[in-house]
Amino acid sequence: MSPTTGPGVLDPADMRRVMGRFTTGVAVITTLDADGDPHGMTVNSLTSVSLEPPMILVCFGARARTALAVAASGRFAVSILAARQEPIARRFAGRGEDHFAGLPLTYGEHDVPVVPDALAHLECAVERRITAGDHVVVLGAVQRTCDRDGPPLAFLGGRFGDFTGRGHEAPAWFF
Ligand SMILES: Cc1cc2nc3c(=O)[nH]c(=O)nc-3n(C[C@H](O)[C@H](O)[C@H](O)COP(=O)(O)O)c2cc1C
């Protein structure tokens, strides 16, 4: 184990590697811009913030096109990806590409495009935007959800994978 110490000395590549030890799921954030054009990007910074009222957060790179469209529209949808949706995760992470090219659009209840066949959808209104370094933290008030069972797409150390071995007991506080 190689320690890195001291404020302001952490190289961005080290920061990425260190946080890459934290296994996450993968989601696609979608929205419509002011012209009604769809935007979407792959994220793993999705976090549950509050249960009452229901609130989540996503950290957007300040220059991401989807971040600008979310700021303009004030709403967005989250699609939590299933294990077999790795190609969708790669598509929506491609820089400068038209992420929706050739994809049939499916809309949620609030007229925001969503990724079909995802494990869960959350439709959100922007509650607050907080600039944090080179990212913008967007708090979303959850307005509608749907979900289904299935294996999730996971991300660890820059690689996609499956989440297997669910043999442990669920903690008592979860349900
Ligand atoms: C697994 C994975 C997770 C990612 N998570 C984030 C994230 O949380 N925030 C972010 O700004 N970019 C994230 N990215 C990078 C964006 O998906 C990528 O920059 C995308 O091209 C932005 O698209 P846009 O500019 O059209 O909005 C992630 C990429 C991958 C592959």
Side-chain angles (χ1 to χ4, degrees):
M1 185 177 270
S2 49
T4 314
T5 55
V9 299
L10 194 57
D11 187 81
D14 292 333
M15 178 69 175
R16 192 186 287 268
R17 190 191 65 255
V18 169
M19 287 311 296
R21 310 280 181 197
F22 187 56
T23 307
T24 66
V26 183
V28 171
I29 305 299
T30 45
T31 192
L32 291 176
D33 68 16
D35 298 326
D37 293 327
H39 288 271
M41 66 187 273
T42 300
V43 301
N44 68 340
S45 58
L46 173 67
T47 302
S48 175
V49 173
S50 166
L51 300 179
E52 291 182 292
M55 226 182 274
I56 53 121
L57 72 73
V58 180
C59 302
F60 292 94
R63 284 179 305 186
R65 295 171 297 178
T66 308
L68 302 175
V70 166
S73 72
R75 63 201 169 123
F76 63 95
V78 181
S79 298
I80 297 177
L81 298 186
R84 60 186 176 70
Q85 293 183 303
E86 180 178 331
I88 292 281
R90 291 184 183 276
R91 164 193 275 264
F92 279 92
R95 283 178 205 276
E97 292 172 18
D98 175 2
H99 294 150
F100 285 90
L103 259 196
L105 286 183
T106 307
Y107 285 88
E109 191 118 302
H110 297 276
D111 286 338
V112 178
V114 295
V115 174
D117 300 327
L119 287 187
H121 292 140
L122 300 90
E123 293 177 48
C124 303
V126 174
E127 177 81 15
R128 204 181 308 165
R129 297 172 69 252
I130 303 154
T131 300
D134 54 8
H135 276 60
V136 177
V137 182
V138 174
L139 283 167
V142 181
Q143 298 182 323
R144 184 176 175 271
T145 67
C146 59
D147 67 290
R148 64 183 177 83
D149 284 336
L153 184 61
F155 194 66
L156 169 66
R159 294 179 182 205
F160 294 102
D162 293 329
F163 181 63
T164 56
R166 303 185 66 189
H168 307 290
E169 294 290 319
W173 46 260
F174 192 76
F175 291 107

